Amino acid sequence: MSKTNTEDYLRMYTQMVRIRAFEDNANQLYLSAKMPGLTHMYSGQEAVAVGICEALTPEDKITSTHRGHGHCVAKGANFREMFCELLGKEEGYCRGKGGSMHIADQGNGNLGANAIVGGSMGIATGAAMSAKMQKNGRVAVCFFGDGATAQGLWYEVMNMAALWGLPVIYACENNGYSEYTKTEEIAAGSITARAEAFGIESFEVDGQDVLAVNQLTQKLVERCRKGEGPFFMNLKTYRYHGHHVGDINRDYYRAKDEEAEWKTTRDPITNFGKWLESEKIVTTDELVEINEKIRKEAEDAVAYALDAKYPDVSEVDMHVYAA
Amino acid sequence: MSKTNTEDYLRMYTQMVRIRAFEDNANQLYLSAKMPGLTHMYSGQEAVAVGICEALTPEDKITSTHRGHGHCVAKGANFREMFCELLGKEEGYCRGKGGSMHIADQGNGNLGANAIVGGSMGIATGAAMSAKMQKNGRVAVCFFGDGATAQGLWYEVMNMAALWGLPVIYACENNGYSEYTKTEEIAAGSITARAEAFGIESFEVDGQDVLAVNQLTQKLVERCRKGEGPFFMNLKTYRYHGHHVGDINRDYYRAKDEEAEWKTTRDPITNFGKWLESEKIVTTDELVEINEKIRKEAEDAVAYALDAKYPDVSEVDMHVYAA
Amino acid sequence: MREITLSKAVNEAIAEEMRRDPTVFLLGEDVAEAGTPFKVLSGLVEEFGTERVIDTPISEPGFVGLAVGAAMTGTRPIVDLMFGDFIFLVMDQLCNQAAKTHYMSGGKLNVPMVLRTNMGATRRSAAQHSQSLHALVAHIPGLKVAMPSSAYEAKGLMKTAIRDNNPVVIFEDKLMYQDKAPVPEEEYLIPFGVANIKREGTDITLIATSSMVQVAEKAAEILEKEGISAEVIDPRTIVPLDEETLLKSVRKTSRAIVIDEGHQSYGITGEIASRLTEKAFYHLDAPVMRMGAMDVPVPFSPALEDVTVPTPEGVAANARKLCGGELIHAA
Amino acid sequence: MREITLSKAVNEAIAEEMRRDPTVFLLGEDVAEAGTPFKVLSGLVEEFGTERVIDTPISEPGFVGLAVGAAMTGTRPIVDLMFGDFIFLVMDQLCNQAAKTHYMSGGKLNVPMVLRTNMGATRRSAAQHSQSLHALVAHIPGLKVAMPSSAYEAKGLMKTAIRDNNPVVIFEDKLMYQDKAPVPEEEYLIPFGVANIKREGTDITLIATSSMVQVAEKAAEILEKEGISAEVIDPRTIVPLDEETLLKSVRKTSRAIVIDEGHQSYGITGEIASRLTEKAFYHLDAPVMRMGAMDVPVPFSPALEDVTVPTPEGVAANARKLCGGELIHAA
Ligand SMILES: Cc1ncc(C[n+]2csc(CCOP(=O)(O)OP(=O)(O)O)c2C)c(N)n1
Ligand SMILES: Cc1ncc(C[n+]2csc(CCOP(=O)(O)OP(=O)(O)O)c2C)c(N)n1
Ligand SMILES: [Mg+2]
Ligand SMILES: [Mg+2]
């Protein structure tokens, strides 16, 4: 493992911590009834979003999911605009119109979180299609969950992506659950084989290992830019919280032991932090400092967002149609 | 090859000839402007419908396609009611309301032709589900074309069929074309591998060989009844006519030579007839007699249907809702 | 009479029908152990087992298709579609297949299935989890469409739907799952196509669907204090629609507002208003007014979302104008 | 002026826009060499190549999804949906995604795409290939909906649609592809939301969409012989709807019939009739009448199919009654 990439490593570490901090605050906002609606926490899956997005440029596109805060942070978004969006404020990335389930830092190539499971599979593939047509070398990454592989749309768009050699990477965040059901109970055969059947080169990766994810993505992005796409990544990962913030009593579908096991032995941040220390890339103090700085940044952003103003009611029928 | 099955063989031969005769007459009706709308000829694919349906009981269900006359005949329908339906007459199987694209002899377990490509994949799978729930030992066969494998619905229902072990057989009539396009240009990877990826046992069969089709289907039907379904059959076959009756000039997408080759060397009826003769199961004269009888039957039915009356106009708003 | 929640009422209706008829079964995402995210179906899998309360993959078109096929072959599926917004995903199976099978087969095949789903905004769920899309299915011949306005209707209409031999779509308002209403212990069914006069009145008719019935009732209370007597009518099913009851009221009051939570344009208010106008034109003192949801995707921000749907105050204000003889839009 | 078919008009519009703007491209089943089953797109692949005229697999939800993504990222896809009936398959991508993206993103993302499809019965194509489903998309905020009534409109509206920054759905009547009309050689665009007065008249207003404009015109000719002067108006786009032009006419004639080929119930006629009634109530001598297609799946049999859609004779008969002061339904 080369140690010349200190800066990259630190950025990856930082971005993972930023996601965790964002989610901890979002969860708090929800639990204290300061946040409207409902939200799905990304905590536990940070290495996926960060490992992938760090291999992309801001011009590359991603599409995101109902569990989309992590992708948004990883693709370069600011806390302030994100918290404003979560609270329905005017300064939110979507002027408060989207909320948690549609959050996106569009300027950094995020085409949007989506509340329809699998709903963005066509959009990501279409973004890759337009990249190919415009010969601009851009790549599109389509994030979706293991449960989303049950949507027929995926097979339709994989077929077209494969036929036309589109620069798209399908990234399945395989956290083992679809809402309150183990995905293995609702997915027959092999998810990876399904992509392979369309002639799509596929990879199974440890989604808790940010470096493994990042290195694979870098390779695939490069190959996509050369016209060798599409690709499929099956990333084994885990969500720490319930399906959504209100999903508290989950013993009936997921054992406490299993949760504890993942959190204590496979946490992507802890493990990467330890590795950084063991490789002498950072000191414990430096890590603490990073964490502290981010904690502060998140708190400031929350305070800012809580104070920020709501959109004027006249905005309600703005943006139905583009000029 | 056992020769004790003379009766079965003759019935299969007869049914294939009946389909061909039905289609020749339907084509004539269309060309002479006596038939309204448009229609898709099944000629060339007879061994698929007959090989499969001869392995089913009338209680077993099938779902059919836009190219559905062959399935309908093979599942036991009469010419009269079929021609009446094609001409929109009251005595048609659907009282003239369905026409060619929705033709079905419902009493023999045909759940209907379908004008939505892939549209019946869920219906067939649901019929299998209800058979399993009702423990009545019935099997459902879902006919569809190679082009239909591009519909996402197929992957959704295969997943459920595989998860729940449903007694359904997916029968892909792989005639190489989707309308005016070679299917290989619009299907990536391997169609068979797509089914296998869901853990579905799959078979590639010569769809021009009625015995091969029938023997495989018998096995799979039996296994379905024992709870070992679902299965997938990829049946290589060929359509002789254009995509629809009006598709006359098709050189731009399909070579005349290719058509001639299939018709002269791989015709399911001619070849099966030759085999029956060579195995001394029938004489040439007997085959001529069968053909002659069917020709007459078809002509009579056409004449009957041409004379039959249209539904009364008061039927237009009958059958919107069931009582 | 005991009071139970709308959620419980739906649960009871389904349980009773499943007990009565072994061919009835449930199908959908997280309907079994989880009892749906709204917990409406809790307890059913314990009583009826996983063979009749079936968790599906996230494959809406697929499992609606399965239900159509199962319904054609001797069973009576109830499909749970978690959010009404997902109806867009199942339109082909619902409208090209389920709705047309009976007709296309010349009456030979039936599709006795129920699609239960929901509607309703102001839950801060944004544009893809807040729509009220009943107008779309009401437009398709072959489907019946029920919109319960309370626990009482929810139970009685659900039981009727399950016994109906046609595909029926039921829209429950997700904001009302915890609302209680008196529901008899004894069995009852509510026939389709029979409107319910929730409140009698003489000056104006408020025709309202689903949760808008509550809005209309609150408006009627406001108006009563001002001496305006409003009649509130709930059609209960929009297909079939009980025109007679609506017409009778409008002929009496000479004024009407149709209130619905679907988008106003090309929604159901235009149809209802037109039928009334066509058949009671010479009784009307003013055009039948319509109040639907705004023609905007449902915004997330509470500051915006609340203004998109009709409110009691809004209804009262319009009723006041109509009764006061103000010719609102009329030139 | 030269006359060309509607089919040719659509072809020209697309070709001109593809020449003008390299980001415009075509996507659909058999659009390239085959030029679609209706041959509307013949010749385009020869000029623009298979990189811009793209044959897709039979994956309607998939390729509409691709178009949405492509539209969000710098290109302008025109999607060919072979039959309007298949719109049920693409509703999620069209209505949950394309229609809402601009709004949900707070105006940051645009989806400039065109979905061209068709409508129209009496082609003996039965229930799944004959529907006129424009009401469904007209109900969804964020979509624009155009319904050309002749080659002239087909060209001008298509060009406007391609340049529009929103998702636009265009319904062409498949019975009209071979109908000819005068179409200028010079470039022109028809703005959305501007109705066209096809024929002036004073006694009654016939508002008709798509091929029903011809029906209305024929009815007007019949009526003229009887001394009844009918004004025929084609809204051209139903979203946006040019209310002003319609209202002006109705205020003048005091009577109106809205004629459309979609199912009548919960279709577009109720909306248009309601808007007119709301804003011109006191000018009306009779309720605005509606003539949609029957509320039945489209039957195959010619003996049945023909009676499901409005005819010139039927329109004339109703107009006669309205003008004669017969109070059709009114009690
Ligand atoms: C089309 C659709 N069906 C159902 C839902 C409800 N739903 C939201 S998230 C979810 C589970 C998704 O599982 P997965 O794709 O594995 O993502 P995860 O939540 O595990 O990140 C479901 C069923 C939805 N939003 N959209
Ligand atoms: C959903 C849908 N898309 C498109 C069509 C138009 N169409 C009718 S048949 C056909 C080709 C089908 O090919 P295949 O499934 O291989 O069947 P084949 O015609 O070869 O028997 C198409 C595209 C349709 N009827 N339904
Ligand atoms: Mg998951
Ligand atoms: Mg084929």
Side-chain angles (χ1 to χ4, degrees), chain D residues 14-33:
Chain D
I14 294 175
E16 287 176 17
E17 292 306 302
M18 287 183 78
R19 272 173 222 133
R20 195 185 59 83
D21 180 349
T23 69
V24 177
F25 71 98
L26 261 167
L27 191 69
E29 293 156 19
D30 279 317
V31 294
E33 283 74 14

Side-chain angles (χ1 to χ4, degrees), chain B residues 145-147 173 175-178 183:
Chain B
D146 40 345
E173 304 194 66
N175 63 13
Y177 293 86
S178 306
T183 301

Side-chain angles (χ1 to χ4, degrees), chain B residues 265-281:
Chain B
T265 70
R266 304 192 58 181
D267 185 73
I269 300 176
T270 311
N271 290 355
F272 190 51
K274 278 192 200 149
W275 182 83
L276 289 173
E277 287 184 54
S278 72
E279 298 287 309
K280 309 267 186 300
I281 297 168

Side-chain angles (χ1 to χ4, degrees), chain A residues 203-216:
Chain A
F203 302 85
E204 299 192 341
V205 205
D206 178 0
Q208 303 310 85
D209 180 346
V210 71
L211 286 186
V213 174
N214 183 254
Q215 279 155 11
L216 175 61

Side-chain angles (χ1 to χ4, degrees), chain D residues 234-254:
Chain D
D234 168 14
R236 298 205 285 210
T237 54
I238 55 172
V239 180
L241 182 70
D242 178 2
E243 273 184 32
E244 275 322 304
T245 301
L246 306 186
L247 278 168
K248 211 172 141 203
S249 174
V250 171
R251 287 190 187 120
K252 174 177 73 177
T253 62
S254 307

Side-chain angles (χ1 to χ4, degrees), chain A residues 145-147 173-179 183 239:
Chain A
D146 39 345
E173 304 194 65
N174 193 342
N175 62 13
Y177 292 87
S178 305
E179 280 193 347
T183 301
R239 65 161 154 81

